C-alpha cells in the first residue's frame, strides 16, 4: 500500500503503486458498468414481456368483447311444432311400389328420378314430386284408364328421402352433419341420435333452429343440456324443412 512505502523510496516505487491503484479502480469501474448493463438488459426484457402481456390481454378482451357484442339472442323453440295430420310428400330418390289390382303386368317398383318424375308400363312420364302416395295413385289410374277398364291402383313409398323442402338439415359441429327425411312427431333428440351427437368443440347451448315454414325464423335450443345433462325439457318437436345450426364454441 502507499502508506507502507518509505519516504526515501525511489520514484519508480511510487509509480508502480499508483499504476496498481489506477488498475484496481478501472477494474471496479468496468465491473460496475457490466453489472449496470446486465441490469438494464434484464429490465428491458421485463418491459418487453410486460408490453406483450398487455397486448395479449387486450387482444383477448377485444375478442371477447366482439363475441359478446355479436351474440344475437333468439326466442326458445316451442315444445310443440304444431304439425297436424302430416302426410309424407314424395321427392327425388324415393322408391315407389305401384300395384295395379288384377293387372300384375302393370305393377312395378320404380325410383323417383332427380327431375321428380317416374315412368311405368303405359305411363310414359308422370311428375310425382311434392305429392303424396294417394294423389299419385289417382293420377296413375287416370292415365291407365285410357287402356284398362276401371283400374284400381295403390302406390306405396318404400324408400324415403323426400323433397328438399321437407328434409331436416343438420350443419356445423355435429358428429355427422347430414340431411334426414322428416318423420311425423320427430323431435330434436331423434335428430341428434341420427347425427351421432356433438363434437368436442360444439357450443351446444348456442345452437339454433332455422324454421323455413315460418319465413326463416330462428329459435334457440339447448343441445348441451339435452344430451350432456339429460334435461328432457330441452327436447322440442321438429317441423319439415327445419335447419339445425350448431356453432363452434369460442374455447
Amino acid at each position: 500500500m502507499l502508506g507502507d512505502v518509505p519516504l526515501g523510496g525511489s520514484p519508480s516505487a511510487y509509480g508502480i503503486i499508483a499504476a496498481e491503484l489506477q488498475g484496481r479502480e478501472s477494474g471496479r469501474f468496468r465491473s460496475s458498468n457490466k453489472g449496470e448493463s446486465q441490469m438494464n438488459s434484464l429490465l428491458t426484457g421485463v418491459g418487453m414481456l410486460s408490453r406483450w402481456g398487455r397486448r395479449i390481454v387486450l387482444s383477448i378482451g377485444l375478442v371477447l368483447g366482439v363475441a359478446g357484442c355479436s351474440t344475437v339472442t333468439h326466442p326458445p323453440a316451442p315444445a310443440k311444432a304444431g304439425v297436424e295430420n302430416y302426410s309424407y310428400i314424395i321427392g327425388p330418390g324415393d322408391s315407389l311400389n305401384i300395384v295395379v289390382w288384377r293387372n300384375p303386368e302393370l305393377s312395378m317398383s320404380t325410383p323417383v328420378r332427380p327431375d321428380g318424375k317416374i315412368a311405368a308400363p303405359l305411363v310414359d312420364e308422370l311428375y310425382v314430386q311434392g305429392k303424396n302416395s294417394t294423389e299419385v295413385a289417382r293420377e296413375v289410374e287416370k292415365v291407365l284408364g285410357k287402356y284398362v277398364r276401371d283400374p284400381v291402383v295403390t302406390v306405396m313409398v318404400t324408400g324415403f328421402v323426400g323433397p328438399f323442402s321437407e328434409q331436416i338439415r343438420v350443419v356445423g359441429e355435429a358428429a355427422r352433419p347430414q340431411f334426414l327425411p322428416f318423420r311425423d312427431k320427430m323431435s330434436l333428440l331423434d335428430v341428434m341420435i341420427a347425427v351421432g351427437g356433438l363434437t368436442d368443440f360444439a357450443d351446444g347451448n348456442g345452437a339454433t333452429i332455422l324454421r323455413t315454414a315460418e319465413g326463416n325464423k330462428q329459435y334457440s335450443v339447448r343441445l348441451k343440456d339435452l344430451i350432456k345433462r339429460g334435461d328432457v325439457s330441452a327436447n322440442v318437436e321438429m317441423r319439415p324443412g327445419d335447419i339445425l345450426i350448431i356453432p363452434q364454441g369460442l374455447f
Side-chain angles (χ1 to χ4, degrees), residues 43-120:
L43 291 174
T44 302
V46 170
M48 291 179 66
L49 288 174
S50 178
R51 287 195 294 273
W52 277 108
R54 288 196 296 269
R55 290 179 183 178
I56 292 172
V57 170
L58 288 173
S59 299
I60 292 174
L62 181 61
V63 170
L64 291 175
V66 170
C69 292
S70 62
T71 300
V72 179
T73 58
H74 301 287
K80 299 294 182 181
V83 180
E84 299 278 340
N85 301 320
Y86 174 72
S87 180
Y88 182 79
I89 302 299
I90 296 170
D94 286 350
S95 296
L96 305 183
N97 187 18
I98 302 173
V99 179
V100 184
W101 187 53
R102 291 184 178 178
N103 290 274
E105 68 280 0
L106 300 178
S107 302
M108 67 173 298
S109 293
T110 181
V112 180
R113 299 187 326 218
D115 61 0
K117 297 179 180 180
I118 63 170

Side-chain angles (χ1 to χ4, degrees), residues 227-242:
I227 298 174
K228 304 292 185 182
R229 298 170 184 161
D231 185 356
V232 294
S233 67
N235 194 23
V236 299
E237 287 186 357
M238 306 294 288
R239 288 193 66 172
D242 279 355

Side-chain angles (χ1 to χ4, degrees), residues 113-144:
R113 299 187 326 218
D115 61 0
K117 297 179 180 180
I118 63 170
L122 301 181
V123 181
D124 291 335
E125 284 190 337
L126 184 65
Y127 190 79
V128 299
Q129 180 175 334
K131 303 172 183 177
N132 61 36
S133 58
T134 302
E135 292 171 338
V136 174
R138 299 294 82 81
E139 293 195 17
V140 173
E141 288 176 351
K142 187 176 181 180
V143 174
L144 292 180

Side-chain angles (χ1 to χ4, degrees), residues 1 3 31 33 41 45 52 54 81 90 93 136 140 152 157 165 168 170 187 195 212 222 251:
M1 302 219 15
S31 176
N33 284 346
S41 298
W52 277 108
R54 288 196 296 269
I90 296 170
V136 174
V140 173
V152 178
V157 183
S165 61
I168 303 294
V170 183
S187 71
V195 300
T212 59
R222 297 179 290 119
F251 294 105

